[in-house]
Amino acid sequence: MTTIVDRPPAIHVKDLEKSYKDLQVLRGVDFDVAPGAIFALLGSNGAGKTTIVRILSTLLRADAGTATVNGFDVAAQPTDVRESISLTGQFAAVDEILTGRENLVLVARLRHLPNPGAVADDLLTRFDLTGAAARRVSGYSGGMRRRLDIAMSLIGTPRVVFLDEPTTGLDPQARNDMWQIVRDLADDGTTVLLTTQYLEEAEKLADRIAILHEGRIIANGTLAEIKQLVPPAEVTYVEKQASLEDVFLAIVGTDTTKEQS
């Protein structure tokens, strides 16, 4: 886990609301994310996780409420927000015709960075892609594409990274590799907001976990704090410690009716 310094939040969300026609997806969402923390937003499909990420990354406007990222208002200062963040969506946004290195060089040039080739080579090494640098991305595995996608999103050294279900569709080894990448980002001082449906992912990575259900945050705290919401089950002589999955299902119930996210 990362060490959290008592500073103003890197992300501040207050009373956030969003509807799609008659469907109210967010119903007054509140949370803060400390600088350099890994914050997991946990919820079922349709809970509103992606909607929150899209609002915080300025891709969508909220109907009500306020949100700031790195001290910039997402509605009033969208350009400043975009310059200080990166976003990795649920599907890798890479050019399959180009090689891995060419993808990185292209993004570095678009960001007007000096010596884009050196930037690309450094990221290829960091993400263990040097051996595949000259290969077209169309021949990459799912885990390699995801690593390249995140490497591309880190060009320019963003202070906040949004990872929207980054391990969806990955095999167990690729998922473990991705978890290490997320830990490394936080160790370097990057703030990470991670959305996930995988309870184990939140349990292993997050400094704080927020559970989003039916458009509201219904639990927010450290893993230990959230586990305390459900009393331990008792057997004859053994006390069972509740898992995060036990807590999640106890809080939200077993109704996973899908809403639009």
Side-chain angles (χ1 to χ4, degrees), residues 146-205:
R146 179 55 87 185
R147 293 205 305 274
L148 178 62
D149 189 31
I150 293 182
M152 291 166 62
S153 72
L154 295 182
I155 293 175
T157 317
R159 293 160 57 193
V160 174
V161 174
F162 296 104
L163 301 177
D164 191 12
E165 301 192 16
T167 62
T168 297
L170 297 185
D171 60 52
Q173 182 57 54
R175 184 171 295 163
N176 283 330
D177 292 343
M178 190 57 55
W179 289 352
Q180 188 57 55
I181 288 171
V182 173
R183 293 188 189 99
D184 291 343
L185 286 173
D187 288 342
D188 289 341
T190 303
T191 303
V192 179
L193 189 150
L194 169 77
T195 75
T196 184
Q197 300 179 62
Y198 299 122
L199 305 178
E200 182 187 13
E201 190 160 87
E203 194 163 6
K204 286 184 176 295
L205 290 178

Side-chain angles (χ1 to χ4, degrees), residues 103-148:
N103 269 277
L104 293 165
V105 169
L106 175 61
V107 175
R109 286 175 174 167
L110 290 173
R111 290 185 178 268
H112 307 290
L113 297 182
N115 202 349
V119 172
D121 291 338
D122 177 66
L123 286 167
L124 288 165
T125 300
R126 181 176 176 184
F127 285 85
D128 195 24
L129 290 169
T130 302
R135 287 166 47 192
R136 287 190 176 185
V137 175
S138 58
Y140 280 22
S141 68
M144 292 168 66
R145 291 184 190 207
R146 179 55 87 185
R147 293 205 305 274
L148 178 62

Side-chain angles (χ1 to χ4, degrees), residues 227-228 230-234 239-242:
K227 282 187 173 184
Q228 289 177 0
V230 177
E234 291 188 6
E239 183 179 90
K240 177 180 178 293
Q241 179 66 45

Side-chain angles (χ1 to χ4, degrees), residues 38-110:
I38 301 174
F39 183 88
L41 192 57
L42 185 63
S44 305
N45 271 338
K49 304 184 303 296
T50 296
T51 297
I52 291 174
V53 169
R54 293 183 67 194
I55 290 171
L56 294 177
S57 57
T58 76
L59 298 177
L60 186 68
R61 291 187 69 91
D63 296 333
T66 59
T68 61
V69 177
N70 288 320
F72 301 117
D73 187 284
V74 299
Q77 301 167 288
T79 300
D80 294 313
V81 172
R82 291 171 192 157
E83 289 177 350
S84 64
I85 68 169
S86 74
L87 168 63
T88 298
Q90 296 178 23
F91 304 99
V94 295
D95 190 321
E96 295 190 352
I97 297 176
L98 300 178
T99 67
R101 189 175 189 276
E102 287 169 342
N103 269 277
L104 293 165
V105 169
L106 175 61
V107 175
R109 286 175 174 167
L110 290 173

